[in-house]
Amino acid sequence: MKILLECKFSELASRVISTNRILATNKNQQLESDVEDDHCFVGDKTKMSEMMDNLINNAIKYSPKGKKIHVGLKKNGDKLVFKVTDEGLGMNEEDIKNTFKRFSKLSAKPTGNESSSGLGLWIVKEIVKKHKGEVFVESEGKNKGTTFTVELPYNHSQD
């Protein structure tokens, strides 16, 4: 049985960013964040952390040394928007079509010999879907970076 809790989404995001900072540092990458504070969210904290961790970890994994990764969280109307943008290997049209498919291996390879199961982005999509949200991917092509955007309903509880 899953437990839905009201939590500060910004605190979750900051914690996940902090735990990934060492990975970015090890690859001489800059992990920047712009997280608006005090946005509450009712949802599965563990799954939300897993979703954010997967997207940030992928940005680190598929970006060469010395690149920047930007993580943002803001409220936009009735949605919470979580965004991860990297300067990494980017995606072609075929990759974009297959991004969220189970066991999908895309053309980009990890830049630091990290492993990949082909399940991470499928899991991200499933978590977001269960929280009544949507996830999108954008890339201008190979070696032009990638942006993942998660939009979740702003469903904080009322006092």
Side-chain angles (χ1 to χ4, degrees), residues 12-127:
L12 275 179
S14 294
R15 214 170 314 150
V16 173
I17 292 164
S18 180
T19 60
N20 277 283
R21 203 168 293 285
I22 189 77
L23 296 173
T25 300
N26 287 343
K27 288 181 79 174
N28 196 29
Q29 297 167 335
Q30 292 179 14
L31 182 55
E32 302 171 341
S33 63
D34 181 18
V35 176
E36 288 183 359
D37 200 15
D38 292 331
H39 293 307
C40 291
F41 179 76
V42 177
D44 185 324
K45 287 171 64 169
T46 302
K47 294 296 183 188
M48 284 290 107
S49 294
E50 183 180 354
M51 176 273 294
M52 291 185 282
D53 183 66
N54 197 307
L55 292 176
I56 296 168
N57 193 278
N58 274 359
I60 294 167
K61 186 186 300 187
Y62 292 99
S63 293
K65 290 183 178 191
K67 297 293 185 174
K68 288 183 187 174
I69 296 158
H70 185 269
V71 180
L73 173 68
K74 66 180 182 176
K75 184 173 178 280
N76 187 359
D78 62 348
K79 296 181 192 270
L80 283 176
V81 180
F82 177 75
K83 191 176 279 200
V84 179
T85 302
D86 65 51
E87 298 175 334
L89 302 176
M91 296 182 169
N92 60 35
E93 286 181 34
E94 187 71 19
D95 287 338
I96 290 172
K97 279 188 346 193
N98 293 314
T99 298
F100 300 108
K101 291 182 179 173
R102 197 172 184 188
F103 297 114
S104 182
K105 298 273 188 158
L106 306 178
S107 64
K109 301 296 177 230
T111 59
N113 295 319
E114 301 96 336
S115 63
S116 172
S117 68
L119 285 172
L121 293 172
W122 175 79
I123 290 169
V124 165
K125 183 169 179 124
E126 292 300 306
I127 291 170

Side-chain angles (χ1 to χ4, degrees), residues 2 7 9 13 16 22 62 98 119-120 124 131 137 139 141 148 154:
K2 71 179 174 183
C7 61
F9 201 77
V16 173
I22 189 77
Y62 292 99
N98 293 314
L119 285 172
V124 165
H131 284 83
V137 62
S139 180
F148 283 90
Y154 186 61

